[in-house]
Each structure stands twice: as C-alpha cells, then as structure tokens.
Amino acid sequence: MEDQSPHSAETGVTLDPLASVIRYHEETKHQFFRYARSLGYLDWANQPDPFRRFEGAPLIPLPMLEPTEDPLSPAYVDLYRAGAIPAQPVTLRTLSRFLEFALALSAWKQVGDVRWALRTNPSSGNLHPTEGYLLLGPCPELARTPALYHYAPKEHGLERRADCPQEVFTHLSHAFPSQAFFMGLTSVLWREAWKYGERAFRYCQHDVGHAIGAARIAAASLGWKLVLLEGLSDDQLNHLFGTNRKEDFLHAEKEHPDCLAVVWPAKEVTPQTAGGPEQIPLFFEPHILDGLSQATWYGRANRLSRDTPVPWEIIDEVALASLKKSREHRFLDVSRTGSGVERGTLAEAETPSVHDGAPSAGHIIRQRRSAVAFDGKTSVSLASFITMMARVIPCAERPVRQRPMPWDAITWEPGIHLLLFVHRVDGLSSGLYCLVRNPTKVDALKEAMHRDFCWERVTACPADLPLYFLQEGDARKVAAQVSCHQDIAGDSAFSLGMLAEFDSPLREHGPWYYRRLFWEAGIVGQVLYLEAEAAGVRATGIGCFFDDPVHQVFGIKDMAFQSLYHFTTGGPVDDPRLTTLPPYGHIRSGGRRA
C-alpha cells in the first residue's frame, strides 16, 4: 500500500498528520494584517459548474411534489416534539420529499441575464461543493435490484451509479432496521477553492455539516431517524461511493469522501417489531464492502471547469492528513426499552407562544435564504431568542438515542459553544454572552477566557438553558470588525462565533476529528437558519472572520479552543434588483412530471 502521509511541497518533508492539520488551521487564519491566501480575483471563465452529472448513468426522475400533495409536511414545531410525527414508509414519493428538503433546489435568482440556483441546504458562497448519494435496496417504483445512486438536484432525479449484489442487502437487512437505506456525502473541494483559495477546505466541511443537518431535519419531517455510521473509514467510503475509480473521474474534478448515514422509519425500532434490532452497527462488515466492490458501475463524472483547477498544495495536504483511516466495530443502542425520551426539556417541550400557528416544516425549509444585509434596527423577542438557543442544545449528558433532533444524528460528544454578540434582543442587555452547549465545560471555558468576565447565569432564561452573561456594552462595532469588517454582523439583532474544543479532541481522536468539528458547527448553523425563518427574521453564516482577533476579544490565548464559524441573525434587507423564480420551472415548463 502506498504511503498516505501528508507531504509538504514547500519543504519536501513528510509531515505528521496532526501537525499538518494544525499547520493548515494556523496558516489559513484571517488576520487584520493579512487574509488567508487565495487568487485575489475571480476567474469567471473557469467557474465550476454547480451541478455534477455522471454521463452514461441512467437518470430516474423523482416525482415533482406540490406542497399540498402526499406526503404532507408536518408543522415546523412538530419537528422538535418527540413522537409527534408518524413514520412514513420508504417509497419513491417519500424519498422525493426527503431529498427535496435535504439537497434540492429551493429557487432560482436572476438579475439581468444572470441566473443562479439556491438550494435547501446552505452553502458557503452558494458554491455547493457537497454531492449526495443514496444506497437503496429494491424499491418497486424505482428498481427491483439494489443500487447506488447519485442525486442530481437540478433534475431532481437519481442517477444509477452502480448495481449492487442482492446478497449485500440481505445482510444489511439483518443488521439494520426494516426499510433502512443509506445516504452519503462527498465534497468537490475545487468548487470552494475556485473562489476562496486555501481557506476553502474549512468551508467545504461547514457545508457537509449543513447537509447533515438538512438531511436529519428532512428525515424528521417524515418520521424517520438518521445517524452517521462513524465506524467506517474514509477509504471504505471511497470504495462505496466509487470516488476512487480513476476511470470514472478521468478528466473530472475528484470528490473527497465525507460520511455515510443510515436512515430508517422510526416506528421500526421497537422491541415489539419483528426483526427490529435494538442495536445497529456504525460500520459495515468487511464481506458487505467486498460484495459492494463487485458492483457494475455506470457513467463518468462531467468536468466542472473549463481549465485545470488551480492547485492548492496545502488543501491537498490537509485533505490527506484529515482522512479517517481507523475502522471501529461500534454499535448504537436504538431500542426504546424502558428509557423513553425524557420530556420537559427546552428542546422537546411545547414551543413558546411566539411560534404558535407557525407554518409547515416544508414552508420554512423552502423559504430559507442567506441574508445579504440587515436593517440595523430589527430586534428579536426574548422568547424567540430562547427558542433558538434551546434548539442547539444537544443534551450531551444523554445517550445518543435520547438526544433531541438533530443531535441524535452524531455519535460524538458535542464540542461547539457559542460566543454571542447581542445587539437587539428584547429583555437582554447588549454585550457579550456565552452559550455553553455542554454544561460540564463551563469551568474550562471560564479558565480559557478573560478573568474579568462576570459569568452570570441569565435568569430570564429557563434553568436548563446554560446561557451566561459575560460583559455589558455595545458590541456592534467589534462584531463587524472581527467578521472581516462586514456590517451584517453589527447590523443584526445578534451575531455569534462557534467556539470549538480544539486541541484536546484532536489529540485524543486523531487529525480526522478536525472535520467533525466543522460538521457540528454546520449543523448548528442549519438549525439557526431555520429558527430565524420561523421567528420572522433571517440569518446568514459567516466564514470570513479574523480568527485570532476573535479569540482576543474573549481572552482566548491558546489552541484549547478555536473559533470555526460565525453566524448572524436580524431583519433582512432584500435587493430589489433580484427576481425570484420557482425551483423547477425549467422542468415543469416542459410538462409536469407525475
């Protein structure tokens, strides 16, 4: 087997993978005196195509479902009420709705002759490096045999990439709940590097997190569960997705393997259900992967850019260094025996009256947008703010199966905390706050930050919301300054930085854990995006911020904690020059698909 240790093109020295990841993180920080390296201009002639297709792979169109058609979307608030949504069977229509809410187009925007698509899953710069795959057993409306499919969002269809042996799914059906299928994600790193240069690897990982969050919420809308299979290695994912097949990517930009999740109707996971396992594996047995390697493959990836992508050695280096090489035989207890989900916590309790009469989950998902500017005057009610913060609390003290959606999708201990710049939240003083998403980390955060922060528990919040007031004052200017001088961070009702437990987890788990930190931050972002829409405001993720100046504002001096992603929420200012068009008008105009 060839050596896969990262190699520095600058020094010619083979680097330790952990050292390589930390080097990447440090060198791609934005500072007041310099930004992370990029081309410094946009090569529009070489902009990557946002839509990957596999030429020669059969395309199966999915039904174009109106919001009023089955399966109907539940109320948005029911997504967070345990057991409120009955499980739907896995059919072509429910798969169509699942992918619509997870990865599909949500609208087109147009100004003059220029038009671009928006999607239900957010993306840095709307560049969409994330590709989606489904591994499905026989589905009468789709195919009689198991197969691996690539999702084509522009066509809302499934490209059949590989025929998989039936015996593989016979084994999987014994190990996983009835009607379980698998969703995979990969990244085309070049799509982000084209615009953002060396910092692009970070943004690709944000977008994986956005997509995981979007998929988990889409699954919840159908009464389904979703959990990442964290026992798999990236080499196994490469074989599973076919992203290691050089002949299929001969002249095309390659895809980087990210993750695989199992999805299943929640009603199947009970001790009373015949064949319903009480534990599911977070891995595939070797014979299953061997069987998948015997698949017949279809199609070749299209080339996305006219010219060869600009090489960024440090991205290649960190992508290699952060590969997950380990394989673990881990299981997840998914039974409900004697331990039903606890009621009464913020994340699962009856939603405050501010959301009474809220629209459907589908309406909120379809209307989600990234704000481009805020009005500098809209405030957020305290009830809305509390609800937003409650949604991102993972209840880390619980077993994974008992955590609130979407935090039951990830099996690692949550390690992201929120540094808040509060500008206009009714009932809260302006200033700096900290939401500690894992209450056991309060002392570590106190130790890491300024000694003169007061760390007062916000009494206006419920007792199980660990929100701390740090320092009073007008934080609008500093919020904008540390967010690359972007007014949107100061004109909002509040903005925040997502602070990750950094050094210790990387050393404990390995350099591959670097990507998981960004994924968790992306899931937080997706939850907050939808919560903003539900509260009648709007949000946007901010990938451009001055890393160490953010740390200095809060007194962080070492690598124990690092800020990975910023976010801001407020009253949006729309651009009147833009026209909004329906997501699939280009298909329906040629005749409605059944």
Side-chain angles (χ1 to χ4, degrees):
M1 184 175 178
E2 63 181 273
D3 178 32
Q4 291 197 342
S5 298
H7 186 80
S8 172
E10 297 177 5
T11 65
V13 175
T14 299
L15 301 175
D16 170 75
L18 181 57
S20 182
V21 165
I22 292 175
R23 172 178 174 259
Y24 171 81
H25 187 73
E26 287 291 294
E27 292 198 11
T28 58
K29 286 181 173 179
H30 289 325
Q31 306 288 359
F32 281 140
F33 55 87
R34 70 153 180 86
Y35 286 84
R37 287 180 289 270
S38 66
L39 282 182
Y41 64 93
L42 293 179
D43 183 2
W44 292 108
N46 209 34
Q47 182 178 9
D49 188 334
F51 301 112
R52 166 133 283 171
R53 291 294 308 275
F54 285 88
E55 297 163 2
L59 176 70
I60 300 94
L62 291 167
M64 289 287 178
L65 302 175
E66 297 290 345
T68 54
E69 292 184 273
D70 288 333
L72 296 175
S73 176
Y76 172 73
V77 294
D78 283 347
L79 294 174
Y80 293 97
R81 290 172 173 155
I85 302 172
Q88 299 278 343
V90 177
T91 66
L92 194 65
R93 292 178 72 86
T94 55
L95 286 171
S96 176
R97 192 69 88 193
F98 170 70
L99 288 168
E100 176 195 354
F101 289 173
L103 299 174
L105 306 189
S106 59
W108 288 86
K109 291 288 186 179
Q110 184 167 338
V111 56
D113 296 329
V114 180
R115 192 172 71 151
W116 62 95
L118 306 180
R119 304 194 198 183
T120 51
N121 57 311
S123 173
S124 306
N126 198 39
L127 297 172
H128 291 284
T130 310
E131 295 293 328
Y133 292 83
L134 293 185
L135 182 61
L136 295 169
C139 179
E141 302 156 291
L142 185 65
R144 295 180 180 180
T145 55
L148 174 74
Y149 299 91
H150 170 255
Y151 177 59
K154 186 177 181 182
E155 294 78 14
H156 192 51
L158 293 172
E159 293 182 296
R160 191 177 179 98
R161 277 285 286 138
D163 294 332
C164 300
Q166 177 62 56
E167 57 268 23
V168 167
F169 277 84
T170 300
H171 289 298
L172 289 174
S173 66
H174 293 155
F176 292 93
S178 176
Q179 289 201 296
F181 65 94
F182 304 89
M183 178 181 183
L185 300 174
T186 67
S187 294
V188 182
L189 302 180
W190 165 240
R191 280 208 186 108
E192 291 288 330
W194 166 77
K195 181 176 182 180
Y196 295 114
E198 293 184 343
R199 202 168 164 99
F201 187 78
R202 295 174 174 229
Y203 300 162
C204 287
Q205 307 314 311
H206 288 156
D207 284 357
V208 173
H210 290 146
I212 293 170
R216 177 63 190 101
I217 292 167
S221 75
L222 293 159
W224 296 351
K225 294 286 189 180
L226 179 152
V227 66
L228 295 187
L229 300 185
E230 273 293 284
L232 293 167
S233 70
D234 285 338
D235 182 61
Q236 291 173 321
L237 295 180
N238 251 330
H239 282 83
L240 176 61
F241 300 143
T243 44
N244 62 343
R245 292 175 53 81
K246 294 182 180 179
E247 63 270 36
D248 292 351
F249 292 84
L250 195 59
H251 300 292
E253 299 80 356
K254 63 182 181 179
E255 296 177 22
H256 188 275
D258 290 313
C259 59
L260 183 74
V262 59
V263 187
W264 73 95
K267 66 180 180 181
E268 300 294 339
V269 188
T270 66
Q272 293 76 28
T273 302
E278 297 188 25
Q279 286 189 326
I280 59 171
L282 299 179
F283 61 94
F284 282 178
E285 293 286 359
H287 67 271
I288 292 177
L289 290 162
D290 290 342
L292 291 172
S293 69
Q294 306 303 313
T296 301
W297 292 84
Y298 303 99
R300 291 190 173 183
N302 62 326
R303 186 163 181 162
L304 304 176
S305 284
R306 183 192 64 183
D307 301 325
T308 302
V310 175
W312 295 100
E313 288 83 0
I314 198 169
I315 292 181
D316 295 338
E317 179 186 309
V318 73
L320 183 58
S322 62
L323 284 174
K324 185 177 183 291
K325 299 178 182 179
S326 60
R327 311 171 188 179
E328 299 89 28
H329 279 58
R330 296 172 52 204
F331 292 84
L332 180 68
D333 183 358
V334 294
S335 73
R336 296 174 182 168
T337 306
S339 57
V341 174
E342 297 175 24
R343 302 285 180 161
T345 62
L346 271 169
E348 294 142 0
E350 290 297 312
T351 309
S353 59
V354 68
H355 286 327
D356 283 354
S360 70
H363 180 80
I364 296 297
I365 290 168
R366 293 185 192 98
Q367 78 172 33
R368 185 213 62 80
R369 305 282 187 270
S370 293
V372 295
F374 290 136
D375 59 19
K377 60 184 180 182
T378 297
S379 62
V380 168
S381 72
L382 181 60
S384 291
F385 180 77
I386 289 173
T387 301
M388 292 179 191
M389 296 299 104
R391 297 297 192 224
V392 301
I393 296 297
C395 301
E397 70 281 1
R398 300 185 191 177
V400 171
R401 71 185 184 280
Q402 293 185 15
R403 293 176 185 171
M405 194 283 303
W407 307 111
D408 56 354
I410 58 176
T411 61
W412 60 83
E413 182 179 5
I416 298 292
H417 310 281
L418 306 189
L419 305 175
L420 290 138
F421 303 84
V422 171
H423 311 316
R424 280 175 294 275
V425 175
D426 299 337
L428 289 185
S429 299
S430 299
L432 305 181
Y433 292 75
C434 183
L435 182 73
V436 184
R437 294 179 65 245
N438 184 343
T440 65
K441 303 303 173 69
V442 172
D443 289 342
L445 286 161
K446 284 183 179 179
E447 182 66 25
M449 295 191 200
H450 285 309
R451 296 291 183 268
D452 57 353
F453 282 163
C454 60
W455 284 93
E456 292 179 0
R457 195 71 176 257
V458 178
T459 57
C461 295
D464 58 350
L465 184 64
L467 179 67
Y468 293 85
F469 175 62
L470 304 181
Q471 181 175 295
E472 187 172 6
D474 187 340
R476 290 175 296 177
K477 184 176 181 180
V478 69
Q481 285 178 331
V482 298
S483 294
C484 295
H485 306 292
Q486 296 179 80
D487 291 339
I488 199 167
D491 289 341
S492 59
F494 67 91
S495 64
L496 59 90
M498 300 185 196
L499 189 70
E501 300 168 28
F502 192 81
D503 186 69
S504 179
L506 289 184
R507 297 188 185 281
E508 177 184 352
H509 298 287
W512 58 268
Y513 202 78
Y514 183 64
R515 291 155 59 202
R516 271 63 178 174
L517 296 175
F518 284 97
W519 297 358
E520 186 180 340
I523 300 173
V524 171
Q526 175 63 358
V527 170
L528 292 177
Y529 263 122
L530 297 183
E531 279 300 301
E533 298 289 341
V537 287
R538 187 145 283 174
T540 192
I542 299 176
C544 184
F545 56 88
F546 297 119
D547 301 60
D548 288 336
V550 172
H551 301 147
Q552 291 163 14
V553 169
F554 289 88
I556 296 167
K557 298 180 177 63
D558 57 31
M559 299 290 284
F561 295 93
Q562 292 285 286
S563 186
L564 300 186
Y565 188 23
H566 279 216
F567 206 82
T568 187
T569 300
V573 177
D574 294 325
D575 189 337
R577 298 172 298 174
L578 300 182
T579 301
T580 302
L581 303 170
Y584 290 101
H586 59 289
I587 292 177
R588 288 193 168 104
S589 62
R592 186 179 180 279
R593 289 205 316 231

